[in-house]
Amino acid sequence: MNSKTSAIIVGGGIIGSAIAADLIRAGIRCTLVEKGALLQEASAAAAGMLGAQVEIHRPGAFYELCRYSQQLYRKWTEELEELSGVSPQYIDQGIVRIAWNEEDENELRSRLPWIQDAQWLEANEFRELEPALSSHIRGGLHFPMDHQVQPVQLAHTLQAALRKLGCDIREWTPVFSLIERGGRVVGIRTSEGDLYADHVILCAGAWSSALTEPLGLKLPMFPVKGQCISIRPPAPLIRKTVFTKGCYIVPKKDGTMIVGATQEEAGFDKRCLVSAVGALHAKAAALLPALEQAELVSTWAGLRPGTRDELPFIGNSSKAPGLLFATGHYRNGILLAPGTGKLMTQLVLGQSPDRDLAPFAPDRVLAGVDAG
Ligand SMILES: Cc1cc2nc3c(=O)[nH]c(=O)nc-3n(C[C@H](O)[C@H](O)[C@H](O)COP(=O)(O)OP(=O)(O)OC[C@H]3O[C@@H](n4cnc5c(N)ncnc54)[C@H](O)[C@@H]3O)c2cc1C
């Protein structure tokens, strides 16, 4: 145990919380600092798909990172559930990705040579698997290893686990700036005063760049708004998550379904528009006609932490010694939480990480603020 080592984590979303839980279990003292309440921003707005296969369009380091995290998921949630007594409602039913036409079919089939766990199904096979699907679908891919959780439940699980683990949680404590001494980041300035630690880890999601700019570093990140609806069908319709271009339907244990999501560069605006709600419902009903009669349960929007190359920032930077980055998880932060937690813990402990982090190094894009 390395109990003298300490870490400050800026941002209490799923990424910061997952890192805190792993660090504490590795014997590191952790302070988790959050400007609002824990796990309320993007992490509570997500649909909960663990879509390492369905979401990724090309082979490479990011696909491998997603699979790495996916393989850790079940054990990670089981351990957190045991600690907290709260279930994250893990469902291992798989995801199907629907092709409507020849173009969709060609695009999906082009993934088969490199994707690990996928199978092409014809329309009739699909309707055997999920009889409520539209008779107009052409076919699609079945990803049996892409599971799901309920993100709001997972938030309760993680929060309760962190409290059990004795994490020093500071909610309603905005971090105003990072403190540098002798060219190293050594602490943070907050609404409640200054805090110092051996490691400072930036997990501030879509807000991360506001904290690097005062150091003279431009982190090219931006919020990508996603509006979602929760609906309740008249009777249970599907067991698997159904995904197609521009829409997914994620059935939950309580009989509701999350239908998502828009993808908008709209600044920090989190309003839900009637037009988006109507469009999401129409796309969902095209997939599952029985949803014409669904009850609207709720609507919400969240801000994905976007990056231009759609890759996260994980690791340290030669331009900001002392600062570790774990941000920019964009559409896949729920999936990537256990993997990011484990990799960051390995970095803090001075171990070589399980995955090569070079493709995710912040230095690939981190520029001086004056660089334009
Ligand atoms: C509609 C939607 C659907 C999604 N569906 C999925 C899905 O199915 N599967 C999946 O894997 N991912 C999904 N995602 C993506 C996923 O939600 C994000 O990638 C993930 O939540 C990012 O986690 P985070 O901790 O980095 O960010 P956040 O959850 O946004 O947390 C960042 C935290 O930092 C805090 N913070 C910021 N600045 C400061 C400061 N100065 N001081 C203190 N605290 C600060 C914020 O208040 C916030 O709580 C979805 C996202 C959206 C919006």
Side-chain angles (χ1 to χ4, degrees):
M1 288 290 217
N2 201 356
S3 61
K4 289 207 188 93
T5 308
S6 58
I8 289 169
I9 297 170
V10 180
I14 190 160
I15 297 299
S17 301
I19 294 170
D22 261 34
L23 285 177
I24 295 171
R25 287 184 288 179
I28 310 290
R29 277 189 295 121
C30 256
T31 304
L32 180 57
V33 188
E34 166 55 50
K35 68 178 166 56
L38 280 193
L39 292 147
Q40 290 300 305
E41 292 288 350
S43 304
M49 291 174 289
L50 309 177
Q53 326 288 332
V54 75
E55 282 264 343
I56 313 303
H57 300 227
R58 62 189 77 86
F62 186 59
Y63 176 55
E64 295 308 326
L65 180 70
C66 289
R67 280 175 48 79
Y68 168 73
S69 198
Q70 189 180 56
Q71 283 155 9
L72 298 172
Y73 227 96
R74 196 192 287 262
K75 185 159 177 276
W76 182 69
T77 49
E78 281 170 3
E79 285 172 2
L80 291 173
E81 181 171 350
E82 200 173 315
L83 262 171
S84 64
V86 182
S87 166
Q89 298 186 359
Y90 190 99
I91 297 180
D92 61 3
Q93 283 291 333
I95 299 183
V96 293
R97 183 149 185 158
I98 303 297
W100 288 107
N101 51 40
E102 192 179 348
E103 189 193 339
D104 293 349
E105 175 170 348
N106 290 340
E107 196 280 313
L108 291 181
R109 280 189 185 275
S110 73
R111 300 182 194 184
L112 284 170
W114 57 267
I115 210 141
Q116 303 282 325
D117 300 297
Q119 184 192 8
W120 174 263
L121 297 181
E122 301 297 340
N124 60 327
E125 295 174 292
F126 253 117
R127 280 194 303 278
E128 256 169 52
L129 202 65
E130 292 292 0
L133 279 170
S134 159
S135 55
H136 298 296
I137 67 169
R138 184 178 174 96
L141 289 179
H142 179 209
F143 304 102
M145 302 312 290
D146 282 2
H147 299 161
Q148 58 137 317
V149 289
Q150 163 49 271
V152 173
Q153 277 299 120
L154 177 60
H156 293 313
T157 309
L158 257 172
Q159 270 202 54
L162 285 173
R163 293 188 200 282
K164 265 268 170 65
L165 288 167
C167 184
D168 176 10
I169 299 171
R170 315 275 180 106
E171 291 179 294
W172 307 105
T173 307
V175 175
F176 298 141
S177 59
L178 303 171
I179 301 174
E180 260 188 313
R181 269 202 202 132
R184 274 190 77 77
V185 173
V186 292
I188 56 174
R189 181 143 297 154
T190 81
S191 58
E192 308 302 311
D194 294 352
L195 294 170
Y196 297 89
D198 301 311
H199 302 273
V200 177
I201 308 177
L202 182 61
C203 307
W207 296 265
S208 297
S209 57
L211 289 165
T212 63
E213 284 204 10
L215 301 179
L217 295 173
K218 192 166 175 179
L219 190 63
M221 283 188 63
F222 52 95
V224 182
K225 175 177 173 181
Q227 300 183 56
C228 278
I229 59 177
S230 169
I231 58 179
R232 190 185 298 279
L237 292 179
I238 46 171
R239 290 170 303 124
K240 295 179 184 298
T241 292
V242 178
F243 196 122
T244 192
K245 222 180 256 170
C247 176
Y248 49 73
I249 307 173
V250 191
K252 297 298 176 185
K253 285 199 169 173
D254 65 357
T256 62
M257 294 170 158
I258 294 180
V259 179
T262 65
Q263 180 123 330
E264 306 158 66
E265 286 187 34
F268 288 88
D269 169 24
K270 286 200 294 183
R271 287 171 306 156
C272 282
L273 300 187
V274 176
S275 55
V277 172
L280 286 170
H281 176 245
K283 287 180 190 166
L287 279 166
L288 294 173
L291 288 181
E292 284 294 351
Q293 300 305 319
E295 169 197 345
L296 180 63
V297 177
S298 58
T299 66
W300 66 89
L303 302 173
R304 305 176 186 92
T307 64
R308 285 289 162 219
D309 59 8
E310 301 187 1
L311 297 178
F313 298 113
I314 303 177
N316 42 33
S317 158
S318 61
K319 300 189 170 105
L323 183 63
L324 284 163
F325 293 74
T327 185
H329 291 69
Y330 188 37
R331 293 177 58 92
N332 303 106
I334 304 297
L335 166 66
L336 290 170
T340 307
K342 191 162 182 202
L343 292 165
M344 294 306 284
T345 301
Q346 289 165 340
L347 287 182
V348 166
L349 293 175
Q351 300 169 349
S352 79
D354 284 347
R355 317 277 341 150
D356 174 17
L357 294 178
F360 314 113
D363 279 0
R364 71 185 189 273
V365 288
L366 205 48
V369 171
D370 298 333

